[in-house]
Amino acid sequence: ETGDEVLKARACGVVKEIRRCQLTNGNGWAFPIPEKYLYQLKRGVHFWAPQYVCHKVMMGLLDVWQYLGDETAKETLLDCAGWFLRFTDDVPRETMNDMMDAEETGAMMEMWADLYALTGDPNHKLLMERYERPRLTGPLLHGVDVLTNMHANATVPEVHGCARAYEVTGDERY
């Protein structure tokens, strides 16, 4: 936005280092926390907010790709999406719901919707759908206020995710 080439170089330099770490890991993982934190979520061990951290990294990659045209950010983000696709492939909906209820995920659904809008890749749409929080959105669809006394930093981004899902799919449910 500012045309600051030094700032652009720094952002792209950070992306380059994230990519280097991702390639060293060899499986698409590019985050500053251990993978085991997410695998523990699958087993019902809930703590902290590891998906929130992953979301923040991926949104940064998306921004650097989208606003600065950095192809390394694009490649890194697409590999992250591949990791999350594989991670969620064997997660039953009920377990996914438990994971979504137990920890803050940031705006994962919105991020996947943004990625789907850019790529048209049905896997990104699938991730968007997997990261919907039905125990929140279901009651809202029926006019039931379930937001009272809920953590706004967790719920508002999820509702934004539904709005973005509507924008990119036209699905009236969202």
Side-chain angles (χ1 to χ4, degrees):
E1 186 172 292
T2 66
D4 185 333
E5 291 300 317
V6 172
L7 184 58
K8 179 180 179 179
R10 285 182 183 166
C12 293
V14 168
V15 167
K16 182 179 176 184
E17 289 304 308
I18 292 171
R19 181 66 171 170
R20 185 178 63 77
C21 292
Q22 185 182 53
L23 293 173
T24 299
N25 287 331
N27 65 355
W29 186 260
F31 308 102
I33 57 173
E35 284 178 79
K36 67 182 177 182
Y37 289 176
L38 273 83
Y39 288 115
Q40 288 182 14
L41 293 175
K42 282 184 172 183
R43 293 191 301 274
V45 179
H46 301 284
F47 56 94
W48 193 38
Q51 293 188 91
Y52 179 89
V53 172
C54 296
H55 164 255
K56 296 306 176 207
V57 171
M58 289 188 291
M59 282 304 299
L61 292 167
L62 182 66
D63 286 348
V64 172
W65 169 28
Q66 193 171 16
Y67 298 118
L68 302 179
D70 188 281
E71 288 295 311
T72 300
K74 175 184 176 182
E75 293 167 7
T76 306
L77 179 58
L78 293 177
D79 285 351
C80 289
W83 188 94
F84 272 93
L85 187 68
R86 290 185 304 278
F87 171 73
T88 58
D89 271 344
D90 66 348
V91 179
R93 182 72 248 180
E94 196 63 23
T95 302
M96 195 71 185
N97 291 347
D98 291 344
M99 288 167 47
M100 299 288 289
D101 286 348
E103 61 121 3
E104 192 173 341
T105 60
M108 289 285 268
M109 183 183 183
E110 183 177 8
M111 202 276 315
W112 298 128
D114 285 343
L115 189 58
Y116 175 62
L118 288 170
T119 67
D121 184 332
N123 286 324
H124 301 150
K125 182 179 183 225
L126 180 60
L127 281 166
M128 178 192 76
E129 293 164 348
R130 288 178 179 173
Y131 274 86
E132 181 180 349
R133 189 173 168 193
R135 292 179 186 158
L136 174 71
T137 58
L140 292 174
L141 282 169
H142 294 98
V144 177
D145 177 7
V146 292
L147 297 174
T148 300
N149 295 323
M150 290 192 74
H151 184 49
N153 200 43
T155 55
V156 170
E158 291 171 346
V159 173
H160 280 199
C162 289
R164 185 65 176 133
Y166 170 72
E167 290 174 347
V168 302
T169 67
D171 186 339
E172 289 290 326
R173 183 174 65 82
Y174 296 118

